Amino acid sequence: MTTLTVALLVTDAKKSAVESAIAALTPDYTIGFIRPCCALTPEPTWQTPPTHWYANAAAVDAEIAAAWQDAVAGAGPNDALNGLILFTAQNATNASGWAATNLESQGLRFVPDEP
Amino acid sequence: MIGSPLGLAAFAAARAAFSPLSLTALIDQWDAERTAEISLSGSAVTAWRTSKNGYSADQAATNNRPSWSATAINGRPGVTPDGVDDFLNYEGVGLFPTGGNPCEIWALVDQVLPASDTTARILLNYGGTGTSTRRNLQRVVTTGVNRAQAIIGNGSTSGSPTNANVDLSGRNVIRCLVGASTSRVDVNGNAGANVTVTPATGTTRTRLFAANGGTPANFFQGVVNYIGVFNPLTDPEAAQMLAFLKARGGIP
């Protein structure tokens, strides 16, 4: 079975709604957003409030990834995923490096970890 | 003549038969080669239980689960967190030593991140949620080199014994010795420097591959074959553990 690596980026305001919507849409693959993100500039600290949240989903069945993409495009009955940004890769072997690239493309980065 | 071929074979068999479970000092262990103690959904780890007491380190959200493979490290089983958001959580500390009681933490890992990634990456921490109340084994970068480090909370701040001798890149055996007044970190049998610290370890939770706080952070990236927590070992027992984990990891 073909699987993909899918990264998901959501605004802080829609985080909980997207988690719930994905749990309802694909209960076999749920998402927990636990990595806070913020703007690349000004230089953030670990206390910078998140504007977005990022998730890395490995080994996602192609059917599940397609269901997420359809929902993002508004093809499904649930519009909660509107605005969710998806990044896909065949095999993202360095997930943290890939994440940095994905976030930079949106002018974002991870909020630094607490020192 | 020191040994006959038969004697060597018997020695090899005896060495191969060693298990940490034979050590009375073992408090508990997560062993990726004991597949009955790992619950999978596909290749994703939903729960990893300890061998003696069944402390279950769990993950509910699918994307936050590390993966398991039978050939992840030196052709042997390993659990692989992605370094972004994978971790396993056990809400308690079981019988792991708390307060000021000493312990040893042993691990066989393949640390894959380059030193250009300077974020601290936690392999295991248990105790309280902050660095002042937990015992924490992690990979850090100091002066441009990957290192193994422990953070030992003393109740108000912490000590940070670091092995400054061995590059933690690739496959390594880590031994963290937490004493009543000093602690150190050894890598592949190379002893790190002692740091004076009196532990004051809490009882809130145990977390693999991320920090113990309310929002997980400091995610480990690499492969983990073994993590064990022990009461202090004798020198012969420590030598057995080192040889056992080095053999697993193919470490000279």
Side-chain angles (χ1 to χ4, degrees):
Chain A
M1 179 177 294
T2 302
T3 63
L4 300 168
T5 303
V6 181
L8 304 91
L9 180 67
V10 65
T11 62
D12 183 59
K14 294 196 71 173
K15 170 178 175 284
S16 296
V18 167
E19 287 176 339
S20 299
I22 288 179
L25 179 67
T26 56
D28 289 339
Y29 206 122
T30 58
I31 294 293
F33 288 102
I34 58 172
R35 289 303 303 272
C37 309
C38 60
L40 277 167
T41 55
E43 185 75 20
T45 72
W46 66 274
Q47 294 173 307
T48 299
T51 60
H52 292 73
W53 295 80
Y54 184 91
N56 187 70
V60 182
D61 290 348
E63 289 182 3
I64 288 174
W68 294 347
Q69 288 169 327
D70 288 347
V72 168
N78 190 333
D79 66 356
L81 297 190
N82 285 347
L84 176 68
I85 297 173
L86 299 178
F87 307 89
T88 59
Q90 288 296 326
N91 183 20
T93 53
N94 182 354
S96 56
W98 190 54
T101 302
N102 291 337
L103 289 171
E104 283 173 15
S105 74
Q106 304 298 312
L108 299 170
R109 55 162 291 168
F110 287 131
V111 174
D113 291 326
E114 184 177 351
Chain B
M1 177 130 179
I2 293 175
S4 68
L6 182 61
L8 288 173
F11 173 78
R15 181 169 162 170
F18 170 78
S19 165
L21 289 166
S22 69
L23 299 176
T24 56
L26 175 66
I27 299 168
D28 225 326
Q29 64 178 16
W30 285 274
D31 186 345
E33 304 204 6
R34 294 173 63 87
T35 54
E37 294 159 7
I38 299 177
S39 297
L40 297 175
S41 174
S43 62
V45 178
T46 61
W48 192 5
R49 292 172 294 280
T50 58
S51 301
K52 293 180 72 173
N53 299 289
Y55 305 144
S56 187
D58 305 326
Q59 181 51 257
T62 312
N63 71 296
N64 298 141
R65 294 169 177 160
S67 62
W68 178 89
S69 163
T71 57
I73 178 169
N74 192 37
R76 303 181 70 121
V79 172
T80 304
D82 66 4
V84 176
D85 53 12
D86 290 352
F87 72 101
L88 298 169
N89 193 81
Y90 169 61
E91 204 62 16
V93 298
L95 296 172
F96 297 155
T98 58
N101 293 309
C103 78
E104 296 193 13
I105 304 169
W106 286 76
L108 171 60
V109 304
D110 185 359
Q111 196 292 120
V112 302
L113 283 171
S116 56
D117 179 305
T118 57
T119 301
R121 305 282 185 162
I122 293 176
L123 179 64
L124 167 78
N125 57 169
Y126 80 84
T129 57
T131 54
S132 65
T133 57
R134 70 189 191 217
R135 300 180 186 192
N136 177 6
L137 184 56
Q138 64 186 18
R139 163 268 189 195
V140 295
V141 174
T142 55
T143 59
V145 182
N146 284 307
R147 301 297 190 193
Q149 181 182 71
I151 303 287
I152 309 299
N154 66 6
S156 58
T157 181
S158 58
S160 308
T162 306
N163 186 297
N165 306 319
V166 180
D167 187 334
L168 196 69
S169 302
R171 300 193 298 270
N172 289 283
V173 176
I174 307 171
R175 177 193 188 192
C176 172
L177 298 93
V178 181
S181 58
T182 62
S183 294
R184 74 169 203 258
V185 177
D186 298 355
V187 178
N188 301 332
N190 182 296
N194 276 310
V195 168
T196 299
V197 58
T198 301
T201 308
T203 60
T204 305
R205 69 170 59 99
T206 303
R207 193 170 277 167
L208 280 65
F209 317 138
N212 250 3
T215 299
N218 301 97
F219 296 88
F220 189 78
Q221 184 169 346
V223 186
V224 179
N225 171 274
Y226 180 91
I227 301 173
V229 181
F230 297 76
N231 289 311
L233 298 177
T234 65
D235 287 345
E237 289 172 335
Q240 281 185 300
M241 277 302 299
L242 181 62
F244 171 73
L245 293 178
K246 274 188 165 183
R248 277 193 175 188
I251 299 166

